[in-house]
Amino acid sequence: MHKNTRNVIIHYNNLQILAISSRKLSIVPSLYDGEQDPGPKFFCSGVQALLKRLTRPDFAKVFRKRTNSNLPFLKTPKYKFLTNEELDAEISKANKTAAWLLQMPPVVKVHDPINEVFSKDPALVGYDSSKYVFTDITFGVPNEQRLIVERDPDGTLQSCDHDTRKRLNQGRKVKEPTMFSDEEKFHGLLEEEKYEFILDRACIQYEPNEPTYQKVTSITYQHVDLKTNFNMLRSTRHFGPMAFYLTWHQSMDNLMLELLQTGFVRETVLLMGLRQAIHEDIAFADELNELVPQILPTPVQLKKSENLSEEDINLDNKCIDCVVKYITKNSAMKSQQELALQGFREEYQQLVELSRGLRKAHGNV
């Protein structure tokens, strides 16, 4: 038996068995590299509205204090006395700032390889052993449109590949961060549940259409899903892309189970709406498409309701009916979701009785 820090090789009857360390998870990244481009679906206004609502924006988390090496100290909060008009203006300003902070990283297809050959000049063979790179330095030309070509030692003049273009256009560090290049450190960050840190750093280092970016985000999303740590990414700009990823790859049932267990039945229906928008495979699509627009204008629920109006009860009952149909016809986790829905129904019925009793006691039947 031979041991090292990463794995164990066991020799038994002339056979070698490789045992991966338990610290690592056998997560296979899934990239957006198929024939279908996720971009048009992701940028669709209806899908964007669903993703923003599923993010469940909470100002307490969006505007939380975060460490910043550029600031020697935290800013002192300011307190103001405001009129109603001034308060409305500040709330509107806060909403715009929150929307900017929660702007989601784009979801696009992995870029295709560049194989564009302009010419082959045999007369240049042997002229030099080095490769020559020529870059257009015209001011104002976007980096993705900038003409960059290379002349190989064999005389071939062709467009540069994506890695070469990135190095020449680089305004960031050329060296890949150790947290991404060292697999052990990357998995260590995952086990420490530093999801937001990983995803923020990936957005800085890579472009959304790079395979490495999609590999990092895919593994991170799957780790969140396996650990059911969805709440750690809620009210961040990464929750929407994660929900889209899980739905795109038909893996959103665990998220739906978590929503049922925590009592957010309306978001469960919105997640169904996201699946219908992407795959169009919901059996009761007409009923679902009619219900989703009724949910979107309602206030965002940050916690379980304590007092319900009759309008809330009617809307929630419609949502429950939709969940029942989904579990029966589309769910991959029927038993778990049925049990979670049963628990939600029992608790919700108690809340309904309490709300109606309070209204009756106050003469508001």
Side-chain angles (χ1 to χ4, degrees):
M1 180 185 295
H2 173 69
K3 294 185 178 181
N4 61 29
T5 57
R6 297 195 176 194
N7 51 57
V8 178
I9 299 178
I10 303 173
H11 295 273
Y12 179 73
N13 290 343
N14 297 322
L15 294 176
Q16 282 192 355
I17 303 174
L18 178 63
I20 302 298
S21 168
S22 61
R23 184 178 182 183
K24 293 183 180 181
L25 295 175
S26 56
I27 298 177
V28 178
S30 299
L31 312 186
Y32 296 106
D33 56 357
E35 295 182 1
Q36 190 175 4
D37 184 0
K41 294 281 188 182
F42 178 78
F43 291 109
C44 172
S45 59
V47 170
Q48 285 288 303
L50 291 171
L51 294 176
K52 290 176 182 177
R53 180 59 182 267
L54 287 169
T55 299
R56 201 187 299 166
D58 181 3
F59 280 11
K61 187 172 183 179
V62 174
F63 295 108
R64 71 193 184 280
K65 293 180 180 179
R66 303 180 68 176
T67 56
N68 189 340
S69 58
N70 296 324
L71 295 177
F73 51 84
L74 294 173
K75 293 182 179 180
T76 303
K78 296 180 181 179
Y79 300 92
K80 299 178 181 179
F81 291 98
L82 303 174
T83 64
N84 289 337
E85 292 77 11
E86 291 172 334
L87 179 60
D88 291 339
E90 289 295 328
I91 292 175
S92 177
K93 181 180 178 182
N95 286 328
K96 291 180 180 179
T97 305
W100 178 76
L101 291 172
L102 292 176
Q103 185 174 358
M104 294 176 281
V107 175
V108 293
K109 187 179 179 181
V110 173
H111 54 55
D112 296 322
I114 300 176
N115 297 311
E116 187 176 9
V117 177
F118 297 108
S119 67
K120 292 186 178 181
D121 193 345
L124 295 176
V125 176
Y127 176 77
D128 200 334
S129 59
S130 301
K131 181 185 297 186
Y132 287 82
V133 180
F134 305 90
T135 306
D136 178 14
I137 59 173
T138 304
F139 179 77
V141 176
N143 286 338
E144 60 272 12
Q145 299 177 10
R146 194 176 300 279
L147 180 63
I148 304 176
V149 299
E150 60 185 14
R151 176 74 77 174
D152 294 336
D154 63 358
T156 301
L157 181 67
Q158 60 186 355
S159 293
C160 294
D161 59 28
H162 291 288
D163 289 337
T164 303
R165 291 183 61 88
K166 182 177 178 180
R167 289 201 304 271
L168 294 173
N169 285 322
Q170 191 63 261
R172 299 158 291 184
K173 292 182 179 179
V174 175
K175 184 178 179 181
E176 188 175 30
T178 309
M179 61 180 286
F180 296 135
S181 60
D182 189 320
E183 185 179 355
E184 194 72 18
K185 291 186 177 180
F186 178 61
H187 284 277
L189 288 172
L190 288 174
E191 290 303 311
E192 294 175 14
E193 300 178 349
K194 304 288 186 181
Y195 304 125
E196 189 176 5
F197 172 70
I198 293 172
L199 296 171
D200 282 342
R201 192 66 183 85
C203 289
I204 295 173
Q205 185 66 31
Y206 307 111
E207 297 295 336
N209 60 356
E210 290 187 50
T212 307
Y213 171 84
Q214 296 198 11
K215 176 184 176 181
V216 168
T217 56
S218 172
I219 293 174
T220 305
Y221 296 153
Q222 291 185 64
H223 195 279
V224 173
D225 185 46
L226 287 170
K227 298 291 185 178
T228 322
N229 284 329
F230 302 110
N231 216 37
M232 299 191 72
L233 286 182
R234 278 201 177 90
S235 293
T236 74
R237 59 181 180 149
H238 304 293
F239 190 88
M242 180 190 67
F244 185 91
Y245 171 90
L246 295 175
T247 307
W248 181 271
H249 292 97
Q250 301 279 17
S251 303
M252 35 80 80
D253 279 299
N254 205 28
L255 174 56
M256 181 168 289
L257 176 62
E258 187 258 1
L259 291 173
L260 288 174
Q261 291 172 336
T262 52
F264 292 91
V265 68
R266 297 183 188 180
E267 290 186 16
T268 307
V269 174
L270 295 181
L271 189 58
M272 295 181 213
L274 180 62
R275 173 168 174 167
Q276 173 62 19
I278 294 176
H279 298 293
E280 300 181 356
D281 62 346
I282 300 294
F284 50 98
D286 293 339
E287 180 181 346
L288 180 63
N289 292 334
E290 183 180 345
L291 184 57
V292 167
Q294 298 178 37
I295 299 174
L296 289 175
T298 60
V300 176
Q301 289 181 282
L302 299 179
K303 58 182 181 179
K304 294 181 181 180
S305 301
E306 298 179 355
N307 192 11
L308 299 171
S309 66
E310 287 301 318
E311 291 79 7
D312 291 329
I313 296 172
N314 291 333
L315 181 58
D316 290 338
N317 283 331
K318 291 179 182 179
C319 292
I320 291 173
D321 291 340
C322 267
V323 173
V324 171
K325 293 178 181 178
Y326 176 86
I327 293 175
T328 303
K329 300 178 180 179
N330 294 93
S331 176
M333 302 177 67
K334 295 183 185 298
S335 58
Q336 298 97 317
Q337 290 179 359
E338 285 175 351
L339 186 62
L341 181 61
Q342 180 181 350
F344 170 77
R345 275 176 152 172
E346 293 174 356
E347 185 177 350
Y348 188 77
Q349 186 59 37
Q350 294 176 3
L351 182 58
V352 169
E353 293 174 359
L354 177 62
S355 299
R356 286 174 173 169
L358 288 173
R359 286 200 299 274
K360 184 177 181 180
H362 289 85
N364 296 325
V365 181

